[in-house]
Amino acid sequence: MRIKNGEMMKVLVADAINEKGIENLKEVAEVVVDTSITPEELVNTINEYDGIVVRSRTKVTREVIEKADNLKIIARAGVGVDNIDLDAATEKGIMVLNSPESTSITVAEHSMGLLLSLARKISIADASVKDAKWEKKKFMGVELRNKTLGVIGMGRIGSQVVKRCRAFEMDAVVYDPYLPEEVAIQMGVELVDLETLLKRADFITIHVPLTPETKHLISTEEFEIMKEGAFITNCARGGIIDEEALYDALLNNKIGGAALDVYEDEPPAEDCKLFELDNIVLTPHIAASTKEAQRDAAIIVADEIIELFKGGTPQNVLNMPRIDKESYKQLVPYFELCDKLGSFISQAVSGKVKELEIVYCGELAELNNVELLTRTIIQGIINPILSSPVNAVNAALIAKNYGISVTEGKNEDAKGYDSLIKVTAKTDKSSFTADGTMLNVPKIIRVNNYWVDVKPEGYMFVAKYEDIPGSIGKIGTILGEHDINIGVMQVGRDEAGGEAIMILTLDKEVPIEVIKELKEADNIFDAVSLKL
């Protein structure tokens, strides 16, 4: 067992977890199980513990963390960490980890269950029999064999669904704009664009995060493209499918059926129109709910704590890897800047990121180890495109798996600032560069060599346009016509009459249809909406 100053490490299990996880923890620590501990008791006793394991009940608030003088790790036996103050833990140098992989198989299996229920009309046939009916002819189904599965999102869960569908002798086409062709080949799947997938797939399954880009990714236009009789399932996030458009497609038999485990509003309203239909299967967000997933979650977090207490590095850390206090003190002012730079570039650049160049200038160039900053930038780049959080521990590996090469450089010239970070993302279509610094708050000071002064936060908008009279007004007019208010405007240009750039901070998100309208306007070359 791991010893600390002559004493055994001490871990509090504050919520009910599988007994196997507790048994594993006892290998390295004294384990206290108190699944009824109150918030007040937790605040008063947290300083006794080196680690804490929670699920959903226990809230690890800033107040708790501020009292946690000995705490080294907070482990969530599950996927989300909404009940943990991640910022407070990071500030105090406490690792926060979860167990996202524990639900991969479970969600994939639920997706298969929904596909089979749709194909064979299992749920409505069950209801019919229980209603004392015998309607065999009404429930003619279709086989999965020799059908084409379309997978939207080939992450951890999507890849598991593909494995299972192969056992049913299905072909697979996948849409994932961030998956390199060579990686898709290694996975044995055909990488296509979304329109091609919709045209070819008999069954479609969704496994992407909900982002501004994926909100209503499947709507009226997409249903029109699908095969007549196609089936679609969603076990990812509500809002990826436009439920109004889905209702119309199902009501008019444009598609064969749908199955949802997630909804735009949870729970759905009592008068939800989808309830009227018999060609849809609905489950109450239970795709991740199995005994095995709970067991695996407990084992995973226990093993992660064991790894830490034995001097290793856990793999599911959400905030930062272990780092000595002095190094952390030097780097901590730049964490937010790096994350914002990465996220800004990830959402603004067009195409798949292939190369990432990071140059540290000024005082930062004098530091021996800036790896954590690089990983934080990578984290910001990749997080907007994946359904599960990327962390500072696994960021470099995930970048490698996605075919992103990362190079670091240093330069003494910080353009008059104490420190400067220059990040360039190169894709298969273009490149995009943003320079940032800390001026009490994170600031982006240059974009594609245009000097600006932007605080990266909230809803933002970036446009490239021809620098002639009326261009700026045209953009403002279009946004105003759609009731989108501009908070802050920054423009930059190289020379009069050439290409210029505009960066706006807005009061709300720019809808996709407004972006399309802007791109189609004269003298506007590109437009993109961001959320930071």
Side-chain angles (χ1 to χ4, degrees), residues 1-235:
M1 294 185 182
R2 183 75 172 175
I3 302 299
K4 172 196 67 174
N5 298 327
E7 298 179 2
M8 188 185 304
M9 289 287 189
K10 193 173 182 181
V11 175
L12 171 66
V13 177
D15 292 332
I17 66 170
N18 186 272
E19 188 63 32
K20 181 59 178 174
I22 295 173
E23 291 176 10
N24 289 0
L25 277 175
K26 289 179 178 178
E27 295 179 10
V28 300
E30 174 189 350
V31 180
V32 176
V33 179
D34 187 351
T35 58
S36 61
I37 191 168
T38 66
E40 294 77 16
E41 290 170 340
L42 185 61
V43 169
N44 292 333
T45 61
I46 191 64
N47 65 316
E48 301 175 11
Y49 298 99
D50 299 285
I52 180 173
V53 179
V54 301
R55 287 181 61 196
S56 299
R57 185 191 72 90
T58 300
K59 305 296 186 280
V60 188
T61 62
R62 179 175 288 274
E63 182 184 9
V64 171
I65 290 169
E66 287 176 348
K67 297 288 187 179
D69 295 333
N70 296 306
L71 203 62
K72 298 169 181 62
I73 190 165
I74 302 167
R76 164 76 158 87
V79 178
V81 289
D82 293 343
N83 55 322
I84 300 170
D85 193 321
L86 191 60
D87 290 336
T90 301
E91 291 169 11
K92 198 151 185 177
I94 300 171
M95 288 186 182
V96 179
L97 61 84
N98 63 353
S99 54
E101 64 268 44
S102 63
T103 61
S104 299
I105 303 299
T106 290
V107 175
E109 288 186 354
H110 193 76
S111 298
M112 288 302 306
L114 294 181
L115 287 173
L116 287 166
S117 184
L118 285 173
R120 301 306 304 272
K121 302 184 179 180
I122 293 171
S123 60
I124 57 173
D126 170 77
S128 173
V129 173
K130 290 176 178 177
D131 199 27
K133 298 178 182 178
W134 195 255
E135 304 172 293
K136 289 183 65 175
K137 293 182 180 179
K138 182 178 179 181
F139 304 122
M140 182 67 65
V142 298
E143 292 184 351
L144 298 186
R145 184 172 65 99
N146 294 331
K147 299 301 191 299
T148 297
L149 173 72
V151 183
I152 300 176
M154 265 298 282
R156 191 169 47 245
I157 297 170
S159 60
Q160 291 292 341
V161 174
V162 169
K163 286 182 181 179
R164 281 147 184 79
C165 285
R166 282 184 178 140
F168 285 83
E169 300 180 50
M170 299 183 77
D171 297 321
V173 294
V174 306
Y175 167 68
D176 189 327
Y178 306 102
L179 184 68
E181 181 71 36
E182 55 270 23
V183 176
I185 292 172
Q186 292 172 5
M187 290 180 168
V189 296
E190 182 182 356
L191 190 62
V192 299
D193 59 37
L194 182 59
E195 183 176 349
T196 300
L197 182 148
L198 297 174
K199 287 179 178 178
R200 290 176 54 183
D202 301 292
F203 293 85
I204 299 167
T205 182
I206 297 173
H207 303 287
V208 295
L210 179 63
T211 68
E213 289 73 27
T214 62
K215 182 176 176 60
H216 289 181
L217 180 69
I218 305 300
S219 191
T220 302
E221 182 178 346
E222 287 71 32
F223 287 120
E224 290 294 328
I225 296 172
M226 291 180 194
K227 284 184 176 182
E228 185 177 348
F231 299 94
I232 186 167
T233 72
N234 184 14
C235 288

Side-chain angles (χ1 to χ4, degrees), residues 423-449:
V423 182
T424 300
K426 297 181 179 180
T427 77
D428 50 354
K429 296 181 180 179
S430 62
S431 66
F432 193 93
T433 300
D435 299 5
T437 190
M438 285 298 297
L439 298 173
N440 294 321
V441 296
K443 284 292 186 77
I444 294 176
I445 58 171
R446 193 161 59 167
V447 174
N448 288 344
N449 294 320

Side-chain angles (χ1 to χ4, degrees), residues 345-398:
I345 291 173
S346 176
Q347 297 176 68
V349 73
S350 175
K352 302 175 184 176
V353 176
K354 296 287 189 180
E355 300 177 33
L356 197 59
E357 297 178 356
I358 304 168
V359 180
Y360 298 99
C361 307
E363 294 178 358
L364 283 175
E366 300 174 5
L367 299 180
N368 292 327
N369 187 359
V370 291
E371 181 183 0
L372 189 55
L373 297 185
T374 295
R375 293 189 177 196
T376 304
I377 292 169
I378 297 171
Q379 179 177 316
I381 289 281
I382 299 178
N383 259 329
I385 63 177
L386 293 184
S387 57
S388 54
V390 180
N391 57 64
V393 172
N394 63 13
L397 179 61
I398 291 177

